[in-house]
Amino acid sequence: MDSRILVTRSSMPSLEEYVEEIKPLWESHWLTNMGVEHKKLEAALKERLKVENVALFTNGHNALECILEALDLRGEVITTPYTFASTTHAIVRKSLTPVFADVKPDDYTIDPESVERLITPRTCAIVPVHVYGNLCDVDAIQRIADEHGLKVVYDAAHAFGVERGGVSAAAFGDASMFSFHATKVFNTVEGGAVCFKDPALYPVLNQWKNFGITSPEDVEYVGGNAKMNEFCAAMGVCNLRHLDGEIAKRGKVEERYRERLAGVRGVRLVDPQPGVRPNHAYMPVVFGDAFGATRDEVFDALDRAGIGARKYFYPLVTDYACYRSVYSSDRTPVAKDVASRVLTLPMYADLALGDVDRICDVVLGCAR
Ligand code: T4K
């Protein structure tokens, strides 16, 4: 068994609980195509996220592609380069043109002022990312969208369980996409969802994820196949029961990281956002020059100590081979700087506080 500490570790229910949940599938033989567990999870998510409309998907990426298509968007989409490949790929794969705004230096979410400067007559939407579970400046973004008649689709892949003033992250904008990948705070093994304002989108999303089929003898859309199966939905039903406990445990891990790292010269942590209930999804640390060691030196030292930190999100999307001939990361200097200095340290509910200390010892040992 590998004793390395990895950047994260999937939350799982007990085997007994999961087996109990999937037992009926052996009687029904109904394994996918919007079955009992699928319905159960959708209903549970509506309640948990306090929203009216939820549609489940095979993964967050397909969910994002699908909502962009369902909103019938055309033209330019203002988004952030400080994210996972999926955000930009979904925009491009739906024949939309991404336009990259810079991020804010305090929480690395999209900078509304930068968004505003990039609006043209061709702009149709804004796709911000609640990166690491940090809530975007949703009020400023909505004001800009209303002023210019733009749609807002949040990539909320990291933000499950995040709330502001009792309102869940799912409630902002026209729609929000969540990822339920194994590495996320809430997982369905692989999976995702879209929460959306307009109830008329529900049949469209459901048909899109099932080949555009509207009835056994009619197909209205050129859809794909992105249906969450019953085993994944059942995993979600079980994991949702334990979510609050898992988030609380992550909170303790973050607390210990902060005790050890906050205030250290050259170490920048994201301050807790006022009024926001966090989900402690990631533990990003940005190393300034004053720290005396580069991000890559810290990464290597951790690696030698058997600790698998990750450089989420380096390189910027605009520096990927598939985009760099068209875009330049120099146009988003804050994002470029953060990407070159950031490390996400291991973060998961069952990470022992002694291991957090060990990780911090290695990090602090790099300081000169
Ligand atoms: N938008 C954003 C902003 C996203 O971050 C993502 C996904 C998406 C959209 C798209 O959502 P999905 O279509 O994926 O639902 C991982 C995940 O695959 C990806 O979901 C996630 N973001 C991204 C940030 O991280 P990798 O390639 O870094 O994962 P991997 O396989 O290296 O795993 C990382 C660590 O997680 C491992 O070291 C150990 C742990 N792990 C991994 C797996 C697969 C587990 O504990 N259990 C597991 O089953 O991309």
Side-chain angles (χ1 to χ4, degrees):
M1 170 113 179
D2 189 355
S3 63
R4 277 179 73 80
I5 299 174
L6 301 177
V7 70
T8 196
R9 189 162 182 247
S10 301
S11 292
M12 294 172 81
S14 72
L15 182 59
E16 293 72 26
E17 182 179 350
Y18 184 64
V19 168
E20 203 50 43
E21 194 63 41
I22 59 171
K23 249 184 203 159
L25 304 181
W26 263 257
E27 278 138 43
S28 68
H29 289 240
W30 190 276
L31 307 184
T32 186
N33 289 12
M34 285 80 103
V36 172
E37 291 296 317
H38 187 284
K39 290 193 180 78
K40 200 165 159 181
L41 182 59
E42 262 188 12
L45 289 174
K46 279 186 203 172
E47 203 180 313
R48 170 77 208 198
L49 296 171
K50 296 177 248 186
V51 289
E52 298 285 319
N53 305 298
V54 177
L56 296 177
F57 287 86
T58 39
N59 54 55
H61 180 82
N62 279 335
L64 185 55
E65 282 201 9
C66 187
I67 185 66
L68 293 177
E69 179 150 335
L71 288 171
D72 201 17
L73 300 171
R74 304 218 197 319
E76 294 175 359
V77 172
I78 300 176
T79 188
T80 165
Y82 192 72
T83 185
F84 192 56
S86 168
T87 319
T88 310
H89 285 358
I91 294 167
V92 173
R93 287 167 58 84
K94 288 293 115 187
S95 304
L96 295 158
T97 306
V99 174
F100 294 97
D102 210 346
V103 299
K104 295 190 286 155
D106 56 345
D107 61 15
Y108 322 134
T109 63
I110 202 163
D111 180 351
E113 283 177 18
S114 177
V115 170
E116 211 152 16
R117 283 195 294 273
L118 294 168
I119 292 172
T120 73
R122 295 178 298 283
T123 310
C124 61
I126 309 171
V127 176
V129 179
H130 299 304
V131 66
Y132 306 132
N134 297 333
L135 205 66
C136 294
D137 189 343
V138 290
D139 300 327
I141 291 168
Q142 196 57 55
R143 185 185 48 75
I144 294 168
D146 290 344
E147 235 171 79
H148 297 272
L150 308 175
K151 297 283 184 202
V152 181
V153 177
Y154 282 100
D155 179 333
H158 301 172
F160 195 88
V162 174
E163 293 186 0
R164 189 187 67 170
V167 176
S168 89
F172 300 111
D174 295 279
S176 296
M177 172 280 278
F178 291 91
S179 164
F180 303 152
H181 184 263
T183 53
K184 297 298 186 285
V185 169
F186 166 71
N187 84 78
T188 61
V189 185
E190 286 265 9
V194 179
C195 301
F196 48 98
K197 290 260 159 67
D198 179 3
L201 290 173
Y202 189 63
V204 182
L205 293 169
N206 278 343
Q207 286 152 24
W208 189 95
K209 72 184 179 195
N210 190 25
F211 307 102
I213 294 171
T214 43
S215 76
E217 297 189 8
D218 207 2
V219 176
E220 200 174 328
Y221 303 101
V222 185
N225 181 2
K227 295 170 266 107
M228 180 182 282
N229 70 58
E230 289 290 279
F231 291 86
C232 289
M235 189 70 159
V237 168
C238 294
N239 276 336
L240 202 53
R241 293 183 191 125
H242 306 286
L243 182 72
D244 288 328
E246 294 292 284
I247 291 179
K249 288 203 280 182
R250 284 171 172 268
K252 295 277 175 220
V253 172
E254 182 172 330
E255 203 175 290
R256 181 63 70 98
Y257 272 125
R258 286 186 183 277
E259 278 166 23
R260 296 291 313 273
L261 299 177
V264 171
R265 244 168 76 93
V267 167
R268 206 193 316 154
L269 308 178
V270 178
D271 287 336
Q273 297 180 297
V276 173
R277 185 176 159 197
N279 66 355
H280 313 289
Y282 291 85
M283 189 65 216
V285 180
V286 167
F287 295 95
D289 293 336
F291 186 66
T294 65
R295 179 272 309 275
D296 288 351
E297 285 166 344
V298 180
F299 177 87
D300 290 343
L302 287 166
D303 187 49
R304 284 193 299 275
I307 297 157
R310 293 293 285 266
K311 300 175 193 175
Y312 295 136
F313 286 99
Y314 171 85
L316 290 185
V317 167
T318 38
D319 282 330
Y320 289 172
C322 53
Y323 295 123
R324 66 181 170 232
S325 63
V326 183
Y327 296 98
S328 166
S329 54
D330 292 336
R331 292 178 158 234
T332 54
V334 178
K336 186 175 181 164
D337 184 60
V338 176
S340 70
R341 297 175 180 278
V342 73
L343 260 195
T344 46
L345 299 178
M347 167 56 82
Y348 47 92
D350 289 332
L351 183 59
L353 298 185
D355 284 336
V356 177
D357 282 334
R358 190 155 75 81
I359 295 163
C360 292
D361 288 344
V362 176
V363 171
L364 296 173
C366 295
R368 281 192 290 267

